[in-house]
Amino acid sequence: MAHATRTLRCALGCLATLVVAGAAAPASAAGAVGSVEDGSSNAVVRVEVIDRDAGTRTRSTRAVAWSQTATMNVALAGHHHDLSITPYAAASGVTVEFNHARDGEVLADDVHLEGRDRRFVIDDAHTTVVVTIVAVKTTVAAE
């Protein structure tokens, strides 16, 4: 009986030590579950395609990492537009690589755009494309 009592006291002592150690641990170590800000900056690519012949427009938005390509397929006024936009963060604003095909016909191929205001307007004979780049911070939530 004395051996069982000593074993129980040892077990309770170890448990108490673990509970106290857990309570003394900093919140960041003890609470790994929750919101963690990784400080990553990414880009939101907003595109508005305007068909001037039909007088219609449509908008599309994609979030991508800087230097990654946002692809968009847009149907507007009976035409199919394929767009690919790659934003790059630059000291003077942003730069963008822009590609646009309408109904399979290439209208813009590897066009390089730079700007401080992060907004670009690209015109051709029938279509206007407005590209806006917005820098965003991302947060990762662990569950």
Side-chain angles (χ1 to χ4, degrees), residues 1-9:
M1 180 79 162
H3 178 65
T5 304
R6 273 185 275 149
T7 303
L8 182 58
R9 274 192 216 145

Side-chain angles (χ1 to χ4, degrees), residues 1 5 13 19 39 43-44 53 60 63 72 85 96 98 105 115 133-134:
M1 180 79 162
T5 304
V19 169
V44 172
D53 295 336
S60 188
M72 299 175 196
I85 299 133
V96 172
F98 177 79
E105 178 185 343
I133 308 296
V134 179

Side-chain angles (χ1 to χ4, degrees), residues 19-57:
V19 169
V20 170
S28 61
V33 175
S35 179
V36 178
E37 187 168 324
D38 67 358
S40 295
S41 174
N42 292 301
V44 172
V45 179
R46 295 181 183 148
V47 174
E48 182 175 22
V49 180
I50 304 163
D51 188 306
R52 291 195 311 266
D53 295 336
T56 58
R57 64 183 64 213

Side-chain angles (χ1 to χ4, degrees), residues 80 100-108:
H80 182 78
H100 178 202
R102 178 179 167 181
D103 299 327
E105 178 185 343
V106 175
L107 302 177

Side-chain angles (χ1 to χ4, degrees), residues 121-133:
V121 179
I122 303 99
D123 283 314
D124 73 26
H126 304 282
T127 307
T128 298
V129 178
V130 180
V131 176
T132 306
I133 308 296

